[in-house]
């Protein structure tokens, strides 16, 4: 039995999963570094990621010379939601700690489950619901810890930062549920190319309105430019590699792998920033870990769709799409958020 578990695909999944986890942590690290330098330009940080997506996947899309499979205005709406989600989560680093952002980004999981239940008529089994409840309990501990330990939370206004992360994670959930609709009528390359294009245009408009003076006031140097570029590269690589892990090992491996991003965040906070971590963070991390393990452990039990659902004829593909979105961990943290793309 043990020989069957440690297959080549499992080992590849473990390695790739930890690489994705480090990418998510690095986006949080770079955002936190920019915040510490007094650079407050969250939309500008995400702009380069959209540019990279447009150049790479847009080139492939143009090479195909085929008409879009989904309406162009769907991508405009999706781009707006995605840009504002990135804006809110990255903005949160101005007010709260790296650890809080990484943990609170898990709010996207119950948000996606609620949205898919309301709009996709998805039915979740008791085991997954239990896992989400335990996970949310851990998130409550993070907020409670920040409220009562604001002087050690590593931010100027932890409560405001926590609310920004929760709002951003909710928008990520809306974005992911929308992507589930779009990916059924289009494909991943079209989705990423058009999301990059629409997100880039909306970001450019928002930068010209909100962050023009901020960018002018920045004394550009290697120390200021590298975090910007590093954030964009890490986000682009994460967007591109998640489908590979989903194809090899599925959403369970992805969810369990991204759990360690919180642990990396705590280690960075302790050893790189030399900050004290409130003991409740460790309790919260334990609760979130247990909750996500319970949730992922329900993957063997197929989520049930209504018998007359149109997507029932494509159950294997839909199950992977749904679980990939439902198991999203932010990453968007990625922008402190974790984005999950459907393979």
């Amino acid at each position: 039995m043990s020989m069957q578990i440690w297959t080549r695909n499992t080992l590849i999944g473990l390695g790739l999963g930890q690489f994705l986890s480090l990418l998510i942590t690095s986006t949080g690290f770079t955002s936190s570094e920019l915040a510490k330098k007094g650079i407050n330009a969250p939309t500008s940080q995400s702009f380069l990621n959209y540019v990279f997506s447009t150049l790479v996947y847009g080139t492939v899309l143009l090479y195909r010379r085929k008409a879009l499979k989904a309406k162009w205005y769907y991508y405009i709406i999706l781009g707006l939601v995605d840009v504002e989600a990135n804006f809110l989560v990255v903005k949160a680093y101005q007010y709260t700690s790296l650890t809080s952002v990484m943990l609170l980004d898990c709010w996207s999981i119950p948000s996606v489950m609620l949205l898919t239940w309301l709009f996709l008529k998805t039915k979740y089994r008791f085991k997954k619901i239990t896992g989400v409840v335990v996970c949310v309990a851990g998130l409550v501990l993070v907020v409670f810890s920040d409220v009562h330990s604001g002087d050690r939370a590593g931010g100027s206004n932890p409560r405001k930062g926590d609310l920004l992360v929760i709002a951003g994670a909710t928008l990520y959930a809306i974005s992911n549920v929308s992507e589930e609709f779009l990916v059924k009528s289009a494909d991943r390359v079209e989705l990423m190319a058009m999301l990059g294009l629409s997100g880039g245009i909306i970001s450019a408009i928002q930068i010209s309105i909100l962050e023009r003076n901020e960018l002018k006031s920045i004394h550009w140097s290697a120390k200021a430019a590298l975090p910007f570029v590093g954030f964009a590269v890490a986000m682009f690589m994460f967007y591109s590699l998640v489908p590979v892990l989903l194809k090899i090992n599925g959403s369970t491996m992805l969810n369990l792998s991204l759990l360690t991003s919180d642990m990396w965040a705590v280690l960075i906070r302790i050893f790189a920033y030399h900050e004290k971590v409130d003991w409740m963070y460790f309790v919260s991390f334990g609760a979130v870990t247990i909750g996500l393990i319970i949730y992922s452990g329900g993957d063997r039990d197929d989520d049930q769709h209504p018998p007359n659902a149109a997507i029932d004829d494509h159950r294997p593909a839909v199950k992977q799409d749904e679980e990939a979105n439902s198991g999203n961990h932010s990453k968007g943290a990625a922008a402190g958020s974790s984005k999950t793309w459907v393979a």
Side-chain angles (χ1 to χ4, degrees):
M1 181 69 178
S2 59
M3 292 299 293
Q4 294 178 350
I5 294 177
W6 294 104
T7 62
R8 179 174 178 271
N9 283 346
T10 301
L11 294 175
I12 293 175
L14 286 172
L16 182 57
Q18 289 311 297
F19 182 66
L20 290 172
S21 181
L22 286 171
L23 286 176
I24 284 296
T25 308
S26 65
T27 61
F29 178 75
T30 52
S31 295
S32 186
E33 280 294 303
L34 289 170
K36 287 181 176 293
K37 295 179 185 298
I39 299 176
N40 181 19
T43 308
S44 301
Q45 284 182 236
S46 303
F47 176 70
L48 282 178
N49 173 48
Y50 294 122
V51 171
F52 291 158
S53 296
T54 303
L55 291 176
V56 175
Y57 293 98
T59 301
V60 176
L61 194 63
L62 289 175
Y63 178 77
R64 291 178 175 178
R65 297 183 179 180
K66 295 181 180 179
L68 295 179
K69 298 178 181 178
K71 301 294 184 180
W72 62 269
Y73 50 82
Y74 289 156
Y75 293 112
I76 296 293
I77 298 173
L78 179 61
L80 177 63
V81 173
D82 195 72
V83 167
E84 299 313 319
N86 285 331
F87 173 82
L88 291 173
V89 173
V90 175
K91 185 74 173 177
Y93 286 98
Q94 304 289 328
Y95 303 104
T96 192
S97 67
L98 171 65
T99 314
S100 293
V101 174
M102 299 297 288
L103 287 173
L104 285 170
D105 194 51
C106 291
W107 175 254
S108 58
I109 295 174
S111 298
V112 168
M113 291 185 71
L114 177 62
L115 290 172
T116 52
W117 177 69
L118 288 174
F119 298 104
L120 303 184
K121 308 304 179 183
T122 303
K123 295 181 180 180
Y124 292 96
R125 293 183 181 273
F126 179 76
K127 181 181 289 186
K128 287 195 173 184
I129 296 176
T130 302
V132 171
V133 170
V134 176
C135 183
V136 172
L139 305 184
V140 172
L141 287 177
V142 176
V143 179
F144 184 80
S145 176
D146 277 353
V147 169
H148 292 276
S149 305
D151 58 331
R152 291 177 290 169
S156 59
N157 192 338
R159 281 171 284 186
K160 182 177 181 179
D162 291 348
L163 290 175
L164 288 174
V165 179
I166 292 174
T170 303
L171 288 181
Y172 277 133
I174 296 173
S175 174
N176 286 338
V177 173
S178 301
E179 289 162 17
E180 184 172 347
F181 281 106
L182 289 172
V183 81
K184 293 171 187 174
S185 58
D187 57 42
R188 185 174 62 91
V189 172
E190 178 180 314
L191 180 62
M192 294 188 70
M194 294 303 296
L195 176 59
L197 179 61
S198 60
I201 294 173
I202 293 172
S203 294
I205 296 173
Q206 186 161 307
I207 290 170
S208 65
I209 298 173
L210 300 178
E211 299 179 6
R212 181 174 52 187
N213 294 330
E214 178 69 25
L215 291 177
K216 288 181 179 179
S217 65
I218 297 175
H219 298 287
W220 290 103
S221 62
K223 291 184 178 180
L226 284 178
F228 266 94
V229 177
F231 178 91
V233 171
M235 281 294 293
F236 175 73
M237 292 177 67
F238 181 82
Y239 278 20
S240 301
L241 291 176
V242 160
V244 179
L245 182 60
L246 288 174
K247 283 185 177 180
I248 296 175
N249 298 98
S251 60
T252 302
M253 179 68 80
L254 175 63
N255 295 335
L256 294 177
S257 297
L258 294 185
L259 285 177
T260 58
S261 63
D262 298 318
M263 186 65 73
W264 295 123
V266 172
L267 292 177
I268 288 176
R269 188 174 173 186
I270 293 174
F271 294 105
Y273 294 150
H274 304 289
E275 296 177 0
K276 294 182 179 180
V277 178
D278 190 81
W279 64 271
M280 291 190 69
Y281 277 118
F282 297 101
V283 178
S284 175
F285 177 77
V288 172
T289 301
I290 293 172
L292 286 175
I293 289 176
I294 294 174
Y295 171 82
S296 297
D299 285 348
R300 290 180 178 271
D301 299 321
D302 295 339
D303 295 325
Q304 297 177 351
H305 301 278
N308 59 346
I311 58 177
D312 198 50
D313 293 334
H314 307 282
R315 186 175 300 274
V318 172
K319 181 177 183 295
Q320 182 177 357
D321 292 355
E322 168 209 322
E323 291 185 352
N325 285 314
S326 300
N328 181 48
H329 181 280
S330 175
K331 268 16 335 291
S337 84
S338 322
K339 299 282 289 181
T340 302
W341 295 96
V342 180

